Amino acid sequence: MTTDQSRPGLRDRKKRQTRAALSAAALRLVAERGLDQVTVEEISEAADVSARTFFNYFPSKDEALLGDQPTDREVLAARIVAAPPEVSAFDALRLAFDDVVEAIEADRDVWLLRLRVIAANPSLLPRLISGNAETEQVIVAAVAARLGLDPCHGHPTLVTTVAGAVFRTALMQWVEQPDTTTLRELTAQAFAAVAAGLPDPHAST
C-alpha cells in the first residue's frame, strides 16, 4: 500500500516547506526586532519546529535570513563557461545573472523583505550573492576556464568581484524603488555603466 509518506517527492516537498517556513520566520522576526534581538529558539518556535530541527536546515541564524541562493552555484558556473565565445567574461557573468534575477523576481515579496533586512544589517550583504568562499571560488574557476587562465591569476577574481558588487548594487536599488522599475532593468543599467567605464551621470546633460 502506498502512503503519503512514501509517495515520491512528498518528503522533499515537506523539507522545502519547512526550510521556507524557517527562513520566513527569521526574516519576519528580525525585521520587527533587529538582528541581535532574535534567537534561533524564537525562530524555531515561530515556525513550529524544534531548535534541533532548525540546525538540520541552517547552520546559523544568518543563513536562515539569506535563505536559498536563487541559482545553484554549479548552474551559474556552467552558464558562464557556456556563454557565446565572442562575449567578454564580464558580459558572460551578466548573462549568467539573468537566471538569478528571474528567480528573485518570481519570489518578489520574500526577497524584498530579505533585502530590507540585509540593508538594515550590512554585515549580511557581502554574503548575499557570493554566499560563501566556496561559491566565489566556483565562479572564479568558471571565469578562469573561460579565459584559459589559472584560477590563481588575478583577473578572474577581479571580474568576479566587480560583477558581484554590480549585482548587489542593483539589488539594493530595487529595494528602494520596487514599484517603479524591475530588478532586470536595474541590473542591466548597472552592468552597462561599469562596461562603459562608469561615466559621470551628469556628463551627457
Side-chain angles (χ1 to χ4, degrees):
M1 180 177 178
T2 301
T3 66
D4 284 347
Q5 289 296 329
S6 64
R7 191 176 302 158
L10 180 60
R11 181 173 298 177
D12 286 341
R13 287 198 300 275
K14 288 187 174 181
K15 286 182 177 180
R16 287 195 297 270
Q17 289 169 355
T18 300
R19 187 177 179 87
L22 284 166
S23 186
L27 288 168
R28 185 176 66 255
L29 290 174
V30 171
E32 292 171 354
R33 305 180 193 172
L35 182 62
D36 295 334
Q37 306 305 316
V38 176
T39 66
V40 166
E41 288 74 19
E42 289 170 329
I43 295 169
S44 303
E45 182 178 355
D48 198 26
V49 300
S50 67
R52 181 176 180 179
T53 297
F54 175 96
F55 288 112
N56 288 335
Y57 290 89
F58 298 106
S60 69
K61 176 176 63 179
D62 288 0
E63 295 301 325
L65 292 169
L66 294 176
D68 293 321
Q69 297 299 314
T71 300
D72 182 85
R73 64 171 68 98
E74 299 297 341
V75 174
L76 188 62
R79 293 191 181 281
I80 293 168
V81 174
E86 66 273 14
V87 169
S88 69
F90 186 69
D91 279 341
L93 269 166
R94 176 183 59 79
L95 292 171
F97 276 129
D98 282 349
D99 289 334
V100 181
V101 170
E102 183 177 348
I104 291 174
E105 289 193 317
D107 204 6
R108 181 178 182 273
D109 291 342
V110 170
W111 271 94
L112 283 172
L113 178 58
R114 176 172 289 125
L115 291 169
R116 290 186 181 111
V117 167
I118 291 169
N121 300 277
S123 63
L124 298 170
L125 181 57
R127 300 169 62 183
L128 176 61
I129 300 304
S130 63
N132 51 43
E134 182 179 354
T135 298
E136 186 168 307
Q137 288 170 4
V138 168
I139 296 174
V140 168
V143 173
R146 179 177 181 81
L147 296 174
L149 295 173
D150 189 293
C152 293
H153 191 287
H155 189 72
T157 300
L158 179 61
V159 171
T160 300
T161 301
V162 171
V166 169
F167 190 43
R168 286 192 291 271
T169 299
L171 282 169
M172 301 321 294
Q173 284 183 297
W174 186 51
V175 172
E176 299 301 323
Q177 46 186 322
D179 297 322
T180 60
T181 188
T182 66
L183 178 57
R184 184 172 298 279
E185 291 170 335
L186 290 169
T187 302
Q189 291 168 10
F191 271 95
V194 172
L198 291 176
D200 187 331
H202 300 294
S204 60
T205 62

